[in-house]
Amino acid sequence: MTTAIQIPGYVAGTWVIDATHSAVSFSVRHLMVSKVRGGFRTFEGTIVTAEDPAASSVTATIDLASIDTNNEDRDNHIRSADFFEVEKYPTMTYRSTGLRVDGDDYVVDGELDLHGVVRSVPLTVELNGFGPDPYGGTRAGFSATAEISRNDFGIDIHMPLDGGGVVIGDKIAISLEIEAVLQA
Protein backbone atom coordinates (compact mmCIF):
# COMPACT_ATOMS: atom_id res chain seq x y z
CA MET A 1 0.00 0.00 0.00
CA THR A 2 1.34 3.43 -0.91
CA THR A 3 0.13 6.28 1.29
CA ALA A 4 1.00 9.92 1.78
CA ILE A 5 1.50 9.14 5.48
CA GLN A 6 3.53 5.99 6.21
CA ILE A 7 2.39 4.11 9.33
CA PRO A 8 3.94 0.72 10.20
CA GLY A 9 1.32 -2.05 10.43
CA TYR A 10 -1.47 0.29 9.32
CA VAL A 11 -4.85 -1.36 8.68
CA ALA A 12 -7.58 0.45 6.75
CA GLY A 13 -11.15 -0.20 7.84
CA THR A 14 -14.03 0.75 10.09
CA TRP A 15 -13.45 0.35 13.83
CA VAL A 16 -15.81 0.52 16.80
CA ILE A 17 -14.51 1.81 20.11
CA ASP A 18 -14.33 -0.93 22.76
CA ALA A 19 -15.49 1.08 25.78
CA THR A 20 -14.49 -1.73 28.15
CA HIS A 21 -10.85 -1.24 27.18
CA SER A 22 -10.93 2.53 26.64
CA ALA A 23 -11.05 5.63 28.84
CA VAL A 24 -12.34 9.17 28.37
CA SER A 25 -10.96 11.30 31.19
CA PHE A 26 -10.25 14.90 32.15
CA SER A 27 -8.63 17.05 34.79
CA VAL A 28 -9.38 20.58 35.97
CA ARG A 29 -7.65 22.90 38.43
CA HIS A 30 -9.31 22.98 41.87
CA LEU A 31 -8.79 25.73 44.47
CA MET A 32 -5.78 26.90 42.43
CA VAL A 33 -3.59 24.27 44.15
CA SER A 34 -4.50 20.85 42.78
CA LYS A 35 -6.35 19.06 40.01
CA VAL A 36 -9.55 17.06 40.16
CA ARG A 37 -9.70 14.14 37.77
CA GLY A 38 -12.71 12.39 36.38
CA GLY A 39 -14.05 10.50 33.44
CA PHE A 40 -17.13 9.16 31.70
CA ARG A 41 -18.35 5.59 32.00
CA THR A 42 -20.59 5.56 28.89
CA PHE A 43 -19.35 6.51 25.43
CA GLU A 44 -19.24 5.13 21.91
CA GLY A 45 -17.58 5.93 18.65
CA THR A 46 -16.48 4.88 15.20
CA ILE A 47 -13.09 5.35 13.61
CA VAL A 48 -12.59 4.98 9.87
CA THR A 49 -8.97 4.45 8.86
CA ALA A 50 -8.92 5.22 5.14
CA GLU A 51 -6.52 3.75 2.55
CA ASP A 52 -4.89 7.19 2.65
CA PRO A 53 -4.54 7.82 6.41
CA ALA A 54 -5.02 11.57 5.86
CA ALA A 55 -8.62 10.82 4.77
CA SER A 56 -9.45 8.98 8.03
CA SER A 57 -12.26 10.12 10.34
CA VAL A 58 -13.75 9.67 13.79
CA THR A 59 -17.12 10.29 15.43
CA ALA A 60 -17.85 9.82 19.12
CA THR A 61 -20.66 10.41 21.59
CA ILE A 62 -20.32 10.68 25.37
CA ASP A 63 -23.22 10.30 27.81
CA LEU A 64 -22.71 13.28 30.14
CA ALA A 65 -24.80 11.71 32.91
CA SER A 66 -22.12 9.00 33.17
CA ILE A 67 -19.58 11.43 34.66
CA ASP A 68 -17.53 9.93 37.48
CA THR A 69 -15.18 12.03 39.62
CA ASN A 70 -15.25 9.57 42.51
CA ASN A 71 -17.59 11.88 44.45
CA GLU A 72 -21.35 11.49 44.04
CA ASP A 73 -22.22 14.98 45.31
CA ARG A 74 -19.74 16.60 42.92
CA ASP A 75 -20.97 14.42 40.03
CA ASN A 76 -24.57 15.47 40.70
CA HIS A 77 -23.51 19.13 40.81
CA ILE A 78 -21.67 18.78 37.46
CA ARG A 79 -24.82 17.22 35.94
CA SER A 80 -26.88 20.24 37.12
CA ALA A 81 -27.67 23.50 35.32
CA ASP A 82 -24.50 25.02 36.86
CA PHE A 83 -22.40 22.87 34.49
CA PHE A 84 -23.54 20.25 31.95
CA GLU A 85 -27.33 20.67 32.27
CA VAL A 86 -27.78 16.99 31.33
CA GLU A 87 -31.57 17.26 31.29
CA LYS A 88 -31.27 19.66 28.34
CA TYR A 89 -27.91 18.52 26.86
CA PRO A 90 -27.53 14.79 27.59
CA THR A 91 -24.56 14.12 25.30
CA MET A 92 -21.31 15.57 24.06
CA THR A 93 -20.28 14.67 20.50
CA TYR A 94 -17.08 14.91 18.50
CA ARG A 95 -16.80 14.76 14.72
CA SER A 96 -13.47 14.97 12.93
CA THR A 97 -13.01 17.35 10.03
CA GLY A 98 -9.48 16.37 9.02
CA LEU A 99 -6.20 14.72 9.91
CA ARG A 100 -2.76 16.28 9.59
CA VAL A 101 0.82 15.71 10.59
CA ASP A 102 2.35 18.34 12.87
CA GLY A 103 6.04 17.56 13.38
CA ASP A 104 6.16 14.15 15.04
CA ASP A 105 2.47 14.29 16.01
CA TYR A 106 -0.76 13.43 14.29
CA VAL A 107 -3.54 15.97 14.84
CA VAL A 108 -7.20 15.20 14.32
CA ASP A 109 -9.06 18.42 13.68
CA GLY A 110 -12.69 18.28 14.66
CA GLU A 111 -15.77 19.85 16.16
CA LEU A 112 -16.89 19.30 19.74
CA ASP A 113 -20.58 19.84 20.47
CA LEU A 114 -21.01 20.46 24.21
CA HIS A 115 -23.75 22.30 26.06
CA GLY A 116 -25.37 23.39 22.79
CA VAL A 117 -22.16 25.04 21.53
CA VAL A 118 -19.95 23.71 18.71
CA ARG A 119 -16.26 24.61 18.74
CA SER A 120 -13.19 23.47 16.85
CA VAL A 121 -11.07 21.19 19.06
CA PRO A 122 -7.89 19.58 17.72
CA LEU A 123 -6.80 16.27 19.26
CA THR A 124 -3.09 15.45 19.39
CA VAL A 125 -3.02 11.72 18.65
CA GLU A 126 -0.51 8.97 19.29
CA LEU A 127 -1.06 5.85 17.24
CA ASN A 128 -0.26 2.97 19.58
CA GLY A 129 -0.54 0.27 16.94
CA PHE A 130 -2.60 -2.35 15.16
CA GLY A 131 -2.67 -6.05 15.95
CA PRO A 132 -4.59 -9.28 16.36
CA ASP A 133 -6.68 -10.04 19.44
CA PRO A 134 -7.17 -13.49 21.00
CA TYR A 135 -10.68 -13.74 19.55
CA GLY A 136 -9.63 -13.75 15.89
CA GLY A 137 -10.21 -10.05 15.41
CA THR A 138 -8.01 -7.02 14.91
CA ARG A 139 -7.52 -4.17 17.37
CA ALA A 140 -6.12 -0.66 17.11
CA GLY A 141 -4.96 1.60 19.92
CA PHE A 142 -4.86 5.38 20.08
CA SER A 143 -4.02 7.93 22.77
CA ALA A 144 -5.15 11.53 22.39
CA THR A 145 -5.06 14.78 24.33
CA ALA A 146 -6.71 18.18 24.03
CA GLU A 147 -7.45 21.22 26.13
CA ILE A 148 -10.69 23.17 26.10
CA SER A 149 -12.08 26.21 27.89
CA ARG A 150 -15.37 25.46 29.65
CA ASN A 151 -16.30 29.13 29.22
CA ASP A 152 -16.07 28.68 25.42
CA PHE A 153 -18.93 26.17 25.74
CA GLY A 154 -21.14 28.37 27.91
CA ILE A 155 -20.24 26.56 31.13
CA ASP A 156 -19.28 29.73 32.90
CA ILE A 157 -19.97 29.22 36.59
CA HIS A 158 -17.70 31.54 38.57
CA MET A 159 -16.85 30.64 42.14
CA PRO A 160 -14.17 33.12 43.34
CA LEU A 161 -11.90 32.44 46.30
CA ASP A 162 -11.62 35.07 49.06
CA GLY A 163 -7.87 35.51 48.55
CA GLY A 164 -8.08 35.59 44.74
CA GLY A 165 -8.41 32.90 42.12
CA VAL A 166 -11.31 30.55 41.60
CA VAL A 167 -12.60 27.28 42.99
CA ILE A 168 -12.73 25.65 39.54
CA GLY A 169 -10.39 26.49 36.68
CA ASP A 170 -11.53 27.30 33.16
CA LYS A 171 -9.10 25.03 31.28
CA ILE A 172 -10.03 21.35 31.03
CA ALA A 173 -7.34 18.86 30.03
CA ILE A 174 -8.81 15.92 28.10
CA SER A 175 -7.13 12.53 27.83
CA LEU A 176 -8.34 9.62 25.69
CA GLU A 177 -7.09 6.04 25.72
CA ILE A 178 -8.92 4.27 22.92
CA GLU A 179 -8.94 0.62 21.88
CA ALA A 180 -11.04 -0.14 18.82
CA VAL A 181 -12.16 -3.34 17.11
CA LEU A 182 -12.08 -3.75 13.34
CA GLN A 183 -15.54 -4.49 11.94
CA ALA A 184 -15.84 -7.36 9.47
Side-chain angles (χ1 to χ4, degrees):
M1 175 175 74
T2 303
T3 61
I5 300 172
Q6 297 294 318
I7 301 171
Y10 184 81
V11 177
T14 299
W15 308 77
V16 173
I17 293 175
D18 176 358
T20 303
H21 296 102
S22 299
V24 174
S25 58
F26 64 89
S27 66
V28 62
R29 182 76 56 197
H30 182 251
L31 298 175
M32 306 301 292
V33 298
S34 67
K35 292 181 180 177
V36 169
R37 300 182 187 286
F40 297 92
R41 293 183 313 277
T42 307
F43 52 90
E44 61 186 19
T46 301
I47 301 163
V48 176
T49 52
E51 288 296 328
D52 174 358
S56 298
S57 64
V58 62
T59 57
T61 301
I62 298 168
D63 175 4
L64 293 175
S66 74
I67 191 165
D68 184 358
T69 65
N70 204 28
N71 181 291
E72 187 175 343
D73 289 338
R74 179 173 47 223
D75 295 345
N76 287 333
H77 187 208
I78 295 170
R79 290 180 190 110
S80 79
D82 284 344
F83 292 93
F84 286 154
E85 242 179 313
V86 296
E87 296 285 328
K88 186 174 181 181
Y89 307 106
T91 61
M92 168 174 33
T93 60
Y94 186 83
R95 182 184 62 81
S96 66
T97 58
L99 174 71
R100 60 189 161 91
V101 176
D102 184 13
D104 293 336
D105 296 323
Y106 297 106
V107 177
V108 173
D109 291 309
E111 296 177 336
L112 180 65
D113 185 338
L114 170 62
H115 202 246
V117 177
V118 178
R119 294 273 188 258
S120 175
V121 175
L123 295 171
T124 301
V125 177
E126 177 184 354
L127 174 59
N128 298 326
F130 297 88
D133 67 23
Y135 314 107
T138 303
R139 303 268 172 156
F142 307 90
S143 299
T145 58
E147 183 177 272
I148 63 171
S149 159
R150 63 182 175 79
N151 286 313
D152 285 352
F153 291 91
I155 303 171
D156 56 4
I157 184 172
H158 297 286
M159 300 167 63
L161 292 170
D162 289 340
V166 292
V167 173
I168 303 164
D170 175 51
K171 299 297 182 192
I172 311 295
I174 298 169
S175 178
L176 309 172
E177 293 297 332
I178 303 298
E179 185 172 308
V181 181
L182 182 63
Q183 300 303 287

